[in-house]
């Protein structure tokens, strides 16, 4: 039996932050040798909120370069751009027609993002989870490593699979039921300015997040100014101290130390001692990623060749699934 398949993706909207890295990409890197992996840059998702056409292409390349810089290894993994494989849009249409509208209006992310856009909310934002389901299902993925905020979209994907297989594929399931892979630590990295909100690309304040490409000066400044509390001594898991828990978790994940080690090391510290330590640890953890990123971005030809061969591999698998789906739905397939 072949290896199980993994699929995941990130939107090319601005820079990646520590939440994207610790909640998703770092886990992809850690597990990639056990699976056959497909990592896409989901540029079709990026236009579900107003976007800038002048920067979309470059942002797409930047995310692909960051995948490589973070350690995605082409020996185990395929990197490609979602819009380069037309089957993603086509399967989305087919699945749209079997997805009840209220499944989509119930999605937390839709409700949150729709509020921000008022009357201008586009159909694409509502349909975002069906496109995401198509990304996953085209590759018959077994596992989908994501952060906590994507859990509901994965549940919807599973509901769509069950509905499709029930309606169109009674004897032999056509679409595979995927499972989310959500790590406990790092699955929900919180904002630096409010420990009860998740770190997010869409927060208007850049001080709320650390981007993977931030300079040491920016990292120092953001950590120096980040929200803390007046309690002395630092401890994990105190519901009254969300900022403290978040910053200790960042320190733990970026230093590679265990929770127990960090708890002991920081038990008697004040913020004045802890903040420089966290800043230095963050700078050191991001330095190799930033150096590798520059190297990849300086060699556009190489990056293009990675994405070209990624598209070829992805497209072969995606088209096969699409054909099976259309056959199950009763389409007259082109001869
Ligand atoms: P995006 O670009 O918003 O987020 C990419 C990944 O980062 C995770 N993430 C976080 N993890 C921990 N803490 C945070 N504060 C944080 N913020 C973001 C997200 O959970 C995600 O794993 N819809 C997806 C993109 C997508 C996708 C897919 C993912 C499209 N198709 C198919 C998996 C499979 C998203 O939210 O992207």
């Amino acid at each position: 039996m072949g290896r199980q398949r993994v699929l995941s993706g990130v939107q090319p909207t601005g820079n990646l932050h520590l939440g994207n890295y610790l909640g998703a990409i770092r886990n992809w890197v850690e597990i990639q040798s056990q699976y056959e992996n497909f990592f896409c840059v989901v540029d079709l998702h990026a236009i579900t909120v107003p976007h800038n056409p002048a920067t979309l292409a470059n942002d797409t390349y930047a995310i692909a370069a960051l995948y490589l810089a973070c350690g995605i290894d082409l020996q185990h993994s395929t990197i490609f751009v979602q819009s380069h494989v037309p089957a993603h849009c086509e399967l989305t249409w087919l699945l749209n027609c079997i997805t009840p509208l209220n499944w989509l209006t119930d999605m937390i992310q839709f409700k949150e993002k729709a509020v921000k856009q008022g009357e201008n909310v586009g159909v694409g934002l509502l349909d975002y989870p069906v496109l995401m389901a198509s990304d996953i299902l085209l590759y018959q993925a077994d596992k989908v490593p994501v952060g906590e905020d994507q859990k509901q979209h994965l549940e919807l994907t599973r509901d769509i699979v069950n509905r499709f297989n029930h309606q169109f594929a009674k004897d032999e399931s056509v679409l595979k039921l995927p499972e989310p892979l959500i790590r406990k630590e790092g699955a929900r990295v919180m904002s630096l300015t409010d420990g009860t909100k998740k770190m997010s690309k869409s927060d208007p304040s850049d001080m709320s997040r650390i981007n993977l490409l931030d300079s040491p000066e920016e990292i120092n400044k953001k950590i120096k100014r980040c929200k803390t509390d007046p309690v002395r001594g630092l401890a994990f898991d105190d519901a009254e101290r969300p900022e403290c828990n978040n910053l200790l978790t960042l320190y733990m994940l970026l230093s590679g130390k265990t929770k127990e080690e960090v708890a002991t090391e920081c038990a008697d510290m004040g913020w004045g001692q802890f903040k420089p330590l966290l800043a230095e640890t963050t700078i050191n953890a991001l330095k190799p990623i930033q150096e590798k990123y520059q190297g990849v971005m300086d060699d556009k030809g190489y990056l293009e060749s990675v994405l070209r061969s990624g598209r070829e591999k992805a497209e072969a698998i995606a088209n096969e699934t699409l054909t099976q789906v259309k056959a199950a739905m009763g389409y007259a397939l082109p001869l």
Side-chain angles (χ1 to χ4, degrees):
M1 224 179 74
R3 286 175 183 226
Q4 284 204 329
R5 219 174 256 164
V6 155
L7 180 128
S8 200
V10 167
Q11 296 185 62
T13 32
N15 245 320
L16 293 194
H17 53 66
L18 278 182
N20 301 130
Y21 179 58
L22 298 173
I25 301 176
R26 204 181 72 128
N27 301 333
W28 306 354
V29 172
E30 271 179 34
I31 62 168
Q32 64 183 332
S33 64
Q34 304 162 46
Y35 295 97
E36 181 192 7
N37 312 275
F38 289 84
F39 298 119
C40 55
V41 182
V42 292
D43 55 347
L44 296 167
H45 280 103
I47 65 164
T48 56
V49 292
H51 82 288
N52 182 354
T55 55
L56 181 61
N58 204 49
D59 285 347
T60 302
Y61 280 112
I63 300 296
L66 272 171
Y67 286 179
L68 292 166
C70 288
I72 296 299
D73 179 350
L74 297 173
Q75 225 190 315
H76 304 295
S77 307
T78 299
I79 299 176
F80 69 101
V81 176
Q82 184 190 34
S83 70
H84 292 179
V85 181
H88 290 247
C89 287
E90 198 171 345
L91 183 61
T92 301
W93 176 255
L94 300 175
L95 297 180
N96 274 339
C97 296
I98 64 150
T99 304
L101 184 61
N102 68 321
W103 287 8
L104 300 180
T105 50
D106 280 351
M107 292 288 113
I108 298 167
Q109 268 200 4
F110 170 71
K111 289 191 222 170
E112 284 174 358
K113 290 191 185 173
V115 168
K116 289 187 196 151
Q117 294 189 42
E119 292 194 347
N120 277 326
V121 54
V123 175
L125 191 65
L126 180 70
D127 206 24
Y128 176 118
V130 183
L131 178 59
M132 178 164 163
S134 301
D135 298 339
I136 297 165
L137 302 177
L138 279 174
Y139 301 89
Q140 307 282 5
D142 299 276
K143 299 275 177 355
V144 184
V146 283
E148 178 75 34
D149 61 343
Q150 296 304 309
K151 200 170 166 198
Q152 199 187 29
H153 291 157
L154 260 295
E155 281 159 10
L156 178 96
T157 302
R158 290 169 60 89
D159 289 342
I160 291 176
V161 169
N162 286 330
R163 196 171 168 95
F164 181 91
N165 285 339
H166 180 74
Q167 282 187 17
F168 301 111
K170 287 231 166 59
D171 301 331
E172 202 183 330
S173 62
V174 170
L175 294 175
K176 190 175 251 177
L177 201 59
E179 278 173 35
L181 268 188
I182 301 175
R183 285 275 195 88
K184 190 167 163 279
E185 312 292 356
R188 199 168 163 79
V189 173
M190 310 309 279
S191 155
L192 295 183
T193 47
D194 179 352
T196 63
K197 271 178 27 191
K198 72 168 188 185
M199 187 177 282
S200 159
K201 291 175 198 162
S202 58
D203 191 314
S205 167
D206 198 52
M207 293 299 285
S208 69
R209 60 186 161 259
I210 290 175
N211 303 306
L212 297 193
L213 299 178
D214 278 349
S215 66
E217 294 71 35
E218 284 168 316
I219 295 172
N220 270 320
K221 188 172 90 184
K222 287 176 178 178
I223 293 181
K224 206 167 174 183
R225 300 221 191 126
C226 76
K227 188 170 174 209
T228 54
D229 57 36
V231 186
R232 224 199 125 73
L234 308 180
F236 282 102
D237 299 328
D238 181 341
E240 303 292 309
R241 304 182 69 189
E243 286 82 16
C244 183
N245 192 54
N246 187 44
L247 296 172
L248 283 182
T249 304
L250 288 181
Y251 178 56
M252 174 184 81
L253 293 170
L254 294 169
S255 67
K257 293 179 181 169
T258 65
K259 194 167 176 179
E260 290 67 34
E261 283 167 344
V262 171
T264 312
E265 184 185 352
C266 304
D268 299 322
M269 279 188 192
W271 292 114
Q273 199 183 350
F274 177 75
K275 280 186 167 184
L277 180 66
L278 176 61
E280 192 195 331
T281 306
T282 308
I283 291 164
N284 288 338
L286 296 186
K287 195 165 171 241
I289 296 176
Q290 297 180 348
E291 285 171 358
K292 191 146 182 232
Y293 170 80
Q294 257 329 313
V296 178
M297 283 305 264
D298 289 345
D299 191 352
K300 250 316 187 20
Y302 169 69
L303 193 54
E304 281 166 5
S305 76
V306 167
L307 294 178
R308 200 174 311 122
S309 62
R311 177 183 65 78
E312 279 166 20
K313 270 177 91 174
E315 192 156 45
I317 296 170
N319 286 347
E320 198 180 310
T321 306
L322 186 64
T323 302
Q324 287 166 5
V325 167
K326 289 171 89 172
M329 291 179 86
Y331 275 92
L333 297 174
L335 299 170

